[in-house]
Amino acid sequence: MQNAQFVHIAWMVGAIGLEVAANVFIKLSDGFRKLAAGFAGIGCILLSVAALSQAIHGIDLSVAYALWGGAGIVLTALAGFVLFRQRLAGRGWIGIAFVVAGISVLRLA
């Protein structure tokens, strides 16, 4: 793997991680009743978009955006399960499977 490609992938991983962190902080903000968590969520999403903007210098926009959004959905669902004991219904897991399949097909295209 070339160094430049590694850098773009690192930006992508950072963007996804920050998106998930933003979602967790927004949940922890309790409808912005806890301002520190709410502002942390806003900061994370802004940083996530900034990281995504760096990732697309070396990753096709369609692939990067699908990966960012799809991985964010899957990892946020996992974070909800681990941190907040939230459970998905069967249809939710089917939706997650479709998201993963869609990202996989797009990545292979």
Side-chain angles (χ1 to χ4, degrees), residues 4-5 7-15 48-61 64:
Q5 188 179 21
V7 170
H8 295 117
I9 291 170
W11 280 113
M12 190 77 242
V13 169
S48 177
V49 171
L52 179 63
S53 75
Q54 294 302 308
I56 62 173
H57 285 287
I59 302 172
D60 289 344
L61 176 61

Side-chain angles (χ1 to χ4, degrees), residues 4-72:
Q5 188 179 21
F6 175 78
V7 170
H8 295 117
I9 291 170
W11 280 113
M12 190 77 242
V13 169
I16 293 166
L18 286 163
E19 180 191 8
V20 174
N23 294 331
V24 170
F25 279 125
I26 294 300
K27 169 70 174 160
L28 292 173
S29 79
D30 192 29
F32 279 84
R33 288 181 191 82
K34 298 175 183 171
L35 291 179
F39 285 120
I42 291 170
C44 283
I45 200 65
L46 291 173
L47 290 171
S48 177
V49 171
L52 179 63
S53 75
Q54 294 302 308
I56 62 173
H57 285 287
I59 302 172
D60 289 344
L61 176 61
S62 60
V63 173
Y65 186 74
L67 183 60
W68 180 68

